[in-house]
Amino acid sequence: MKKIIVLLAFCLIACINAQSQKTEPVKWNTQINNTEKENFKEIVFSAHILGEWHLFGTQLPEGGPHSTAFVFDKIEGAVLLGNIQEIDRPIEEYNSLFEMNLKWYNHSARFIQGIEIIPESEKVLIEGHIEYQACNNVTCLPPTRHNFVLEETINKIIPNAEPSISSTISTQHGHSNKAYLNTWKPVKQQMEAFGENLAGTEISYRKAYVNGFKGGLLSLLTPCLWPMILMSIYSFQQQRSSRKQSIFRTLLYSVTLLIVFPLCGILLTSAFGIQIFYQFTTNLISNLFLFILFVILAAFLLGAFHSSIISKKKAVGNFIGLSILTVLLSLSCTGSYIGSYLTQAASLHSILGPYLTLTGFVSAFVLPVAIILVFITWNPATPKQAHRLLLLNRITGFFILAYSLTFLSIADLIYGKHLLNREIFLVLWIIIFSFLGIYLIGKLKFTHDKETPSISVGRFFLAILTFSFTLYMVPGLLGAPLKEIGALVPPLYAQDFNLYTKDFGNHFDNYNEGMEYAKNSEKPVLLEFSGYGCAESRKMEASVWTYPRIKHLLDQEFVVIRLMVDDKTKLPKAEIISIDGKPTKITTFGEKWQALQQIKFGSESQPYQVILTPKGNPLSSAYGYSIDIKQYINFLNNGLNRFKQQLK
């Protein structure tokens, strides 16, 4: 089992490293400048290099790091003149790591490519990419690719334009629609003018810690971290010593987690961005990896790979190795519980805010685990205690097997394959928990289980709870919302067969279509930015939106537009969207909705809700995660009243 855990840890590290493709230690800006000569222009590539990172030059010797290269994939209306030129002089020194002389840039670098405009051309369109590699004193990123698109008409350079009605978005053919662009105009300052204290909009250093602690408690209610709790118990039971030494090891293990977890989180967010946790939970490979990992853990806890869960063999590892493994697993599978809190905390301070949130998160895990470890090491091991731990392993194995399906479901929802819809998911859960109930009453045994002629009162009550939970899920096959587990099971719109009341025709998953419908029906818009991998969004939709009074308001008074920022569905045609004057090519609907949230509202967190007029003007401040029914009703009524007042 030790070899399996080590292998899985390395695989997890590899998956996290794969996300390095999304980090940007080098920020690129590309623009076209005029020259003194008519029909001759210059493309200027400016690189802003963060912190201790450095960017390598354009001509490096073979066998070294990757040289910075500029590739032009498509050129219309112009021709290139000569080769790329370096404006700034690079640093040239001997590098002991690569054992050769290398050239690199610190802080900033500029490059120029001359072009000649073809006579009578109506526009210039240049698409390409920059291949570069960045390193610091500790590590090097793999070769990274940055795409750029430059488009210029007569006396008008699109990439340098500020986000506006005419330049915020254009298709790859340069066409735009003014009415469509009006609904994209930034409204952040207008929203702040409302001055409302809505859920999730105010943040302080104290709240940053409390939010992290709440996220940690929420993660403990799911089987995500249960394997590490059991492995901690197992490891400490195999290293029995005096009570004083046991308490010391428990404290050292807890302190190690309190130090290592926030440190790893800060390093990840600094290198890959604050959205790394959310990106990991919405990545196909990472979700499939976690699904396989949890199936293997479930099989181990149910008796596979080992002759006995409780044995006298050496423990899985010492407490430091165990704590680091705990950090790796928890960082990888708790993004949906902590990602939005980290985004809020980063608005306070880029490092201190997330650090407090991460510390609060791991504190919620350390506190109950430390109490359990002190308790199990305080009393001597007995056969009865070993049997209880074996029973706990088996029960946890069932829960982890059920929880593994959530990762498979997220991957299926993000990529829209519809292979694991809500009915199939619930059928599998009903079967798994039915077998758990049968196991608890002693009618099911695994290979290494000992004979138990009778069951205890505790097992009897656990069996009642298990069968009750199983029956609770049965109406979900017909479309019941199942509010208590809404954050774990697929959403209602992923169900094909539904006998319950369905939504009216005012729910949209496309911004343009929803705004057009709102204009024709003269209704306000409830716009929600959500995600298939966002547990908070699922919980709100299952617990709040299904409340009768709220559901009536949404169906009768509002046009609901729900946009998934992790939707991997391809756009019919690639689009060029300008964000902060930087043209960005997007290919999926998720990228488009994420760009809309950034441009219009200046936000990247989910869930994020706001009420708009059909013209895209705000009627409320932003609403974050909250399952307070009264507060949400007030949020809807205030927006609706403002809309009605504007109509008078």
Side-chain angles (χ1 to χ4, degrees), residues 52-224:
E52 300 297 326
W53 293 90
H54 52 260
L55 173 71
F56 289 110
T58 56
Q59 296 180 352
L60 299 182
E62 294 183 1
H66 195 283
S67 301
T68 300
F70 298 84
V71 181
F72 298 89
D73 301 313
K74 181 179 180 180
I75 302 177
E76 294 181 1
V79 293
L80 300 180
L81 295 176
N83 297 323
I84 198 82
Q85 301 294 323
E86 298 175 307
I87 300 178
D88 301 317
R89 186 175 180 178
I91 300 171
E92 184 173 1
E93 289 182 3
Y94 178 80
N95 188 286
S96 58
L97 178 62
F98 293 99
E99 298 182 347
M100 60 178 65
N101 289 326
L102 297 177
K103 296 180 180 180
W104 66 82
Y105 298 92
N106 291 332
H107 307 304
S108 64
R110 290 177 299 165
F111 307 87
I112 284 181
Q113 172 64 60
I115 61 172
E116 180 180 0
I117 307 301
I118 298 175
E120 300 180 358
S121 296
E122 296 181 358
K123 70 173 182 177
V124 175
L125 177 62
I126 301 175
E127 297 183 10
H129 62 274
I130 307 170
E131 297 176 357
Y132 68 94
Q133 187 170 17
C135 293
N136 57 23
N137 296 328
V138 179
T139 184
C140 287
L141 293 180
T144 307
R145 179 169 175 161
H146 171 80
N147 297 321
F148 64 85
V149 179
L150 295 167
E151 186 176 357
E152 181 187 280
T153 56
I154 299 176
N155 297 326
K156 182 179 179 181
I157 301 175
I158 291 179
N160 289 333
E162 292 296 323
S164 63
I165 295 176
S166 61
S167 66
T168 300
I169 180 171
S170 63
T171 67
Q172 62 181 357
H173 299 293
H175 301 146
S176 62
N177 186 305
K178 185 174 181 179
Y180 164 61
L181 295 176
N182 270 329
T183 62
W184 278 65
K185 63 183 179 182
V187 295
K188 184 178 180 180
Q189 292 183 348
Q190 294 174 255
M191 293 171 59
E192 292 175 350
F194 288 107
E196 296 173 342
N197 182 19
L198 299 177
T201 58
E202 289 192 352
I203 188 69
S204 63
Y205 287 111
R206 177 180 173 274
K207 190 172 182 180
Y209 179 86
V210 172
N211 284 344
F213 194 84
K214 287 164 55 180
L217 291 178
L218 182 61
S219 68
L220 284 176
L221 298 178
T222 67
C224 190

Side-chain angles (χ1 to χ4, degrees), residues 215-428:
L217 291 178
L218 182 61
S219 68
L220 284 176
L221 298 178
T222 67
C224 190
L225 298 180
W226 293 0
M228 303 318 304
I229 297 176
L230 289 177
M231 288 182 183
S232 301
I233 296 173
Y234 175 70
S235 178
F236 274 71
Q237 276 205 332
Q238 303 307 310
Q239 300 179 23
R240 304 206 63 83
S241 56
S242 66
R243 290 177 177 176
K244 185 176 181 179
Q245 290 177 329
S246 298
I247 293 176
F248 175 77
R249 285 204 309 270
T250 301
L251 290 176
L252 189 57
Y253 171 65
S254 302
V255 171
T256 302
L257 278 176
L258 288 171
I259 295 175
V260 175
F261 185 91
L263 180 60
C264 289
I266 291 299
L267 290 175
L268 284 173
T269 54
S270 299
F272 305 137
I274 203 68
Q275 294 292 321
I276 178 60
F277 295 95
Y278 190 73
Q279 290 170 356
F280 192 89
T281 59
T282 59
N283 181 271
L284 175 64
I285 296 177
S286 62
N287 275 286
L288 292 178
F289 167 77
L290 290 173
F291 167 70
I292 296 172
L293 170 63
F294 273 66
V295 169
I296 293 174
L297 287 173
F300 170 73
L301 293 172
L302 292 174
F305 314 124
H306 207 290
S307 59
S308 175
I309 297 292
I310 305 300
S311 69
K312 296 182 179 180
K313 293 184 178 181
K314 189 177 180 180
V316 174
N318 58 45
F319 54 86
I320 295 180
L322 187 63
S323 64
I324 292 178
L325 183 58
T326 303
V327 168
L328 289 173
L329 184 59
S330 57
L331 284 175
S332 66
C333 65
T334 57
S336 58
Y337 303 106
I338 198 173
S340 60
Y341 293 141
L342 284 175
T343 302
Q344 294 178 19
S347 64
L348 291 171
H349 190 276
S350 58
I351 295 179
L352 182 57
Y355 179 83
L356 290 173
T357 299
L358 291 166
T359 303
F361 185 89
V362 73
S363 299
F365 172 81
V366 166
L367 184 61
V369 172
I371 294 174
I372 294 173
L373 292 179
V374 169
F375 177 78
I376 62 107
T377 55
W378 191 266
N379 298 311
T382 62
K384 187 176 182 180
Q385 191 181 70
H387 174 72
R388 288 176 178 173
L389 183 56
L390 180 64
L391 177 63
L392 182 60
N393 277 276
R394 298 290 190 256
I395 295 173
T396 306
F398 280 102
F399 276 93
I400 292 174
L401 181 61
Y403 191 74
S404 67
L405 294 174
T406 61
F407 300 110
L408 200 59
S409 172
I410 291 173
D412 182 63
L413 288 169
I414 291 173
Y415 288 88
K417 299 301 181 182
H418 306 293
L419 301 177
L420 186 63
N421 59 24
R422 194 168 185 264
E423 296 99 322
I424 298 176
F425 185 97
L426 289 174
V427 165
L428 292 173

Side-chain angles (χ1 to χ4, degrees), residues 4 181 201 223 231 302 323 405 424 431-432 482 487 528 530 536 567 574 600 627 631 642-643:
I4 294 175
L181 295 176
T201 58
M231 288 182 183
L302 292 174
S323 64
L405 294 174
I424 298 176
I431 292 173
I432 291 172
L482 304 180
E528 181 196 29
S530 181
E536 292 94 339
D567 188 354
K600 190 172 183 67
I627 55 175
Q631 187 180 53
R642 291 191 182 104
F643 178 74

